[in-house]
Amino acid sequence: IHTAVGSGIAEVLASLRDRLAGTVVFLFQPGEETLTGASAMIDDGVLERMRPAEIHALHCGPFPVGQFATAPGYGLPGQDRGTIMLTGADAQEQARRLAAEIGGLGTVAPPASSSDLDRLVADIQTPDGPLAAFVFVRAGVPEAATEVEVSYRCWPEERHVEVRESVHRLARPYAGAIVDFPGDPFPAMVCPEQPGRALTEYLRGTLGADRVTTLHAAIPFSGEDFALFLDRIPGTY
């Protein structure tokens, strides 16, 4: 879908190039949800070659065909990862028990049915709704291992400090437990509020108010490394 949309827009703008000023460059970025594509493109020098003044992205989502959703001040969460090493004769059993306790930090679970998805879509459009703040946690023990692998997403982004402290607190009673978060969390992708509101008003004026909705929360289960572009260049998502 992304590639078809991008190619279609590029063809339309190319046909109108005599009516346009400036230059539009299309970035077909892979691996956005695995948080790998943007960094690879940046490391490869794409921004130095193109030197864009602003950058904009479009995603697909669970909305009616023909409807746009904007997210001023919101977007998609980043991600944090860590491990907890355990020792001793019953380390594997302790690891499983600790993984379950860490999983209990989560406040939201992925939709398991169509009604769950409908509720999620409604919640992300609700100001100060149930997804205004959340923690989505995965904690597990690899087969035959004695360590817990943890990954989580949270909102607001600053909650990672609280979540890390909670993981340390839960691990503390386990003798010899070593908690390791090897780096800073991957940043959240946040659409800047003022440009996002301007985009909302433009789309409503162009397409009609009934075809534009505003998101008031982030979807908990998916990251987006377009964050790395927005950290460097003004833009929208």
Side-chain angles (χ1 to χ4, degrees):
I1 292 175
H2 297 141
T3 303
V5 169
S7 299
I9 295 171
E11 288 186 359
V12 169
L13 292 184
S15 72
L16 301 173
R17 57 162 43 94
D18 59 337
R19 294 160 53 184
L20 302 175
T23 301
V24 179
V25 175
F26 284 77
L27 301 181
F28 290 87
Q29 179 206 320
E32 79 278 8
E33 290 171 355
T34 58
L35 308 179
T36 57
S39 58
M41 295 181 77
I42 290 169
D43 291 345
D44 199 43
V46 67
L47 298 182
E48 284 73 19
R49 290 198 301 277
M50 304 304 176
R51 299 192 180 280
E54 56 189 67
I55 191 165
H56 305 276
L58 182 72
H59 209 303
C60 52
F63 301 98
V65 172
Q67 185 176 53
F68 282 82
T70 60
Y74 293 92
L76 289 169
Q79 187 175 60
D80 196 12
R81 292 180 179 273
T83 59
I84 304 100
M85 293 291 301
L86 297 167
T87 58
D90 59 346
Q92 195 171 61
E93 178 57 35
Q94 289 190 68
R96 292 194 188 98
R97 189 162 65 249
L98 178 57
E101 293 174 1
I102 293 172
L105 297 173
T107 62
V108 63
S113 65
S114 58
S115 60
D116 287 347
L117 181 59
D118 289 342
R119 190 178 307 110
L120 170 69
V121 172
D123 287 346
I124 62 177
Q125 297 176 79
T126 303
D128 301 317
L131 291 180
F134 61 77
V135 178
F136 172 57
V137 181
R138 293 188 186 276
V141 181
E143 188 175 354
T146 59
E147 69 177 25
V148 181
E149 294 181 347
V150 180
S151 68
Y152 69 88
R153 303 180 190 275
C154 62
W155 197 274
E157 182 176 24
E158 295 76 18
R159 288 193 73 184
H160 78 266
V161 175
E162 166 196 335
V163 176
R164 284 191 176 191
E165 289 174 349
S166 295
V167 171
H168 278 274
R169 172 179 54 78
L170 290 173
R172 203 168 293 129
Y174 292 81
I178 301 174
V179 180
D180 180 34
F181 287 98
D184 293 332
F186 194 95
M189 194 289 299
V190 183
C191 181
E193 188 163 0
Q194 287 307 114
R197 293 193 183 283
L199 175 61
T200 303
E201 293 308 309
Y202 175 79
L203 290 174
R204 285 176 174 163
T206 304
L207 304 174
D210 60 332
R211 293 183 60 188
V212 182
T213 186
T214 300
L215 305 187
H216 297 279
I219 298 174
F221 320 113
S222 179
E224 175 58 72
D225 68 349
F226 186 67
L228 300 184
F229 290 125
L230 282 183
D231 284 347
R232 292 162 172 80
I233 307 167
T236 60
Y237 178 89

